Amino acid sequence: MNPSANASNWRQARKLLCIRLDNLGDVVMTTPAIRALKETRPSCHLTLLTSASASRVAPLVAEIDDVITYDAPWMKSATTRQNSQPDWKVIERLRRGNFDGAVIFTVFNHNPLPAALLAFLADIPLRLGHCRENPHNLLTDWIREPDLESETRHEVRRQLDLVEAIGFRSQTDTVILRVTEKNQLAAIHKLRETGLNISRPWVVIHPGSSAPSRRYMPEGFAEVARRLTVEDNLQIVFTGDRDETALVESIQAMSGRSYSLAGHLTIEEMAGVLQISPLLISNNASPVHLAAGLGTPVVVLSALTNPQHAPWNVPSRVLSHDVPCKYCYKTICPEGHHNCLRLITPSTVIEAARSLLQETAIRQDTPARIG
C-alpha cells in the first residue's frame, strides 16, 4: 500500500514499536529516525525491540521510552536454540503491548518479512518497512527496496527516508546521544585509575570489531600507538569488549607504554570516555557511531565491505585501500587477503590522526557536554 494513504493513521498512533534486531551500531544509526517519530508525535510512547547486545545503547537515547530484548533466530548473531518458545513469548508480549504501529528498520540487504510476521502475529495494525518483494498483507505500508547494485544511501539517511514516507520528520538528521553526569564522572574515574593524565593530550584506539573482515592488523595498530606516543607525545587509551582484552594486551605488548580500559566499561561509560576524548581511531565498529553521536572526531579504518556505514555528520577521516572486490557485504573476507585494510599503512593512519587533531584542536579545551 502507498504509505501516504496511511499517514494520518500513523500520526494518531499513541504507542509505536521500533524494531531493529541487529547490532548496537545499527541501532545508533537508526536514532535520528526514532527521533523523527518522537518529534512529529511527541505524545507517543516509543518502545524499541532489539537484540540483547544492542539494547545496551538505549539509555543513551532520550526518545526511547521502553526496551524489549529479543534475539531473533533469523539474525546471524543468534545463538542456536531447540524450539520456538522465545518467539511465541515475544509475540505475546507485543500483543499485550497494544501497539498502534510497528516500524521495521533493517539494513538494506536483510529481509524484513520475519519481523513483519512477528508484528502481524502480535496484531499490530500498522506495519512499515522497506522490502524488495511484495509483502502483501505483512506490511500495511511498503517502501520498495531499490536493487542491490543501486543502493548507496547511508544507513542514517535510509531510515530517515523510511519514516518520512509516513510523514515523520526531525529538525536535524544528526545522531544525538546523551551521557548523564553520573556516567561521565564514572568514565573520568576509570580513566584516571589506569594512570592516564587526563589534562595531557590523549586519544582512544579501538582495535576490535564484531566482523573479522573489518579488523585492521594488530601490528598496524601497535605501530600507530607507538609512534603517536614517541613522536607526538600522546597518551594512548585502548578500549574493547571483554572478549577483546587479549587482543588489546597483544597490541600493548608490541606498542610500549599505553593504557587499557578493555573489558572495564559499560556502554554508558564508553560514551563518557568518547565524549571527552580528543580523537577516536577505530575499525568500523560501534564506537565509531557512538562517537558520531557525541561529536567526537574519528579516524576510521574502513574495510570496503559496506559504503553505508561511514561516520555520520562528525569530523572524520575514512581510510581504506581500493580493491576490485570492494563492497562485498561480507563479515569474513571472501578473498582471504584483507587488502582493503591490510594495505593501509600505519603512516597513513598517523597522518590522518595528526591532521584531524590539528583541525579539531579546539575540542580539547571544550567542556564535556553532559545530558
Side-chain angles (χ1 to χ4, degrees):
M1 179 182 289
N2 183 349
S4 61
N6 267 333
S8 61
N9 293 329
W10 282 99
R11 281 179 171 269
Q12 294 174 33
R14 293 172 302 159
K15 298 184 71 176
L16 290 175
L17 180 70
C18 299
I19 302 177
R20 185 83 213 220
L21 295 170
D22 33 14
N23 298 320
L24 189 150
D26 300 300
V27 171
V28 173
M29 289 186 285
T30 305
T31 56
I34 294 173
R35 186 172 61 250
L37 296 172
K38 197 72 163 185
E39 285 187 9
T40 305
R41 181 77 167 128
S43 62
C44 77
H45 186 278
L46 287 185
T47 297
L48 174 67
L49 177 67
T50 191
S51 64
S53 61
S55 68
R56 297 174 297 158
V57 81
L60 303 177
V61 185
E63 293 78 18
I64 295 174
D65 299 305
D66 197 8
V67 180
I68 300 173
T69 61
Y70 172 56
D71 291 314
W74 60 87
M75 303 303 295
K76 64 183 178 183
S77 58
T79 56
T80 301
R81 46 187 169 88
Q82 303 302 316
N83 59 60
S84 61
Q85 288 185 6
D87 312 296
W88 290 110
K89 285 181 179 179
V90 78
I91 289 169
E92 183 55 34
R93 183 170 179 182
L94 295 181
R95 183 181 289 110
R96 293 197 309 268
N98 293 314
F99 294 102
D100 300 301
V103 182
I104 301 163
F105 297 107
T106 58
V107 70
F108 86 99
N109 58 347
H110 283 185
N111 192 326
L113 296 183
L117 178 61
L118 200 75
F120 177 81
L121 293 174
D123 296 323
I124 300 175
L126 297 171
R127 301 174 300 278
L128 168 70
H130 285 107
C131 195
R132 189 160 286 108
E133 59 188 281
N134 190 333
H136 300 290
N137 291 327
L138 287 183
L139 292 176
T140 61
D141 299 274
W142 169 30
I143 307 300
R144 185 180 291 275
E145 189 76 74
D147 291 337
L148 210 66
E149 292 77 13
S150 64
E151 178 62 65
T152 57
R153 288 175 297 173
H154 191 280
E155 184 69 9
V156 171
R157 184 70 258 163
R158 169 185 159 77
Q159 309 309 341
L160 282 167
D161 289 346
L162 179 66
V163 298
E164 284 179 6
I166 53 170
F168 287 77
R169 293 176 177 83
S170 174
Q171 295 183 1
T172 174
D173 63 0
T174 302
V175 176
I176 301 173
L177 302 177
R178 64 178 179 183
V179 177
T180 65
E181 183 175 6
K182 176 183 177 181
N183 288 320
Q184 182 67 86
L185 293 175
I188 291 171
H189 176 71
K190 288 193 174 182
L191 282 166
R192 287 175 172 157
E193 274 193 328
T194 67
L196 181 82
N197 183 346
I198 203 169
S199 63
R200 284 187 48 233
W202 59 286
V203 300
V204 173
I205 295 181
H206 187 86
S209 175
S210 60
S213 60
R214 298 201 301 265
R215 296 174 194 159
Y216 189 56
M217 309 87 64
E219 57 271 24
F221 275 122
E223 183 174 347
V224 169
R226 181 186 61 78
R227 287 182 55 187
L228 288 177
T229 301
V230 173
E231 299 172 15
D232 298 79
N233 199 29
L234 289 173
Q235 301 172 100
I236 305 298
V237 178
F238 287 100
T239 58
D241 292 337
R242 184 171 293 131
D243 59 2
E244 293 168 338
T245 302
L247 168 66
V248 168
E249 290 175 348
S250 70
I251 295 171
Q252 286 186 290
M254 294 184 280
S255 65
R257 176 68 171 168
S258 62
Y259 308 90
S260 173
L261 287 171
H264 295 289
L265 296 175
T266 65
I267 289 296
E268 296 100 317
E269 290 167 349
M270 179 68 178
V273 168
L274 292 175
Q275 188 178 50
I276 59 172
S277 174
L279 180 72
L280 168 68
I281 301 172
S282 177
N283 294 316
N284 188 4
S286 58
V288 169
H289 308 299
L290 291 174
L294 299 163
T296 304
V298 180
V299 173
V300 55
L301 293 106
S302 184
L304 293 177
T305 57
N306 190 334
Q308 301 163 308
H309 294 171
W312 181 256
N313 283 2
V314 70
S316 63
R317 300 286 187 272
V318 180
L319 307 179
S320 58
H321 184 85
D322 197 14
V323 289
C325 52
K326 63 185 176 183
Y327 309 148
C328 64
Y329 302 97
K330 302 294 186 182
T331 57
I332 297 175
C333 176
E335 302 296 326
H337 51 54
H338 295 267
N339 281 349
C340 59
L341 282 180
R342 188 177 62 83
L343 296 181
I344 303 171
T345 67
S347 293
T348 300
V349 182
I350 291 164
E351 288 307 312
R354 288 169 177 164
S355 68
L356 194 52
L357 280 170
Q358 184 175 12
E359 178 184 309
T360 60
I362 189 171
R363 176 181 171 84
Q364 299 180 44
D365 300 316
T366 302
R369 304 170 306 287
I370 300 176

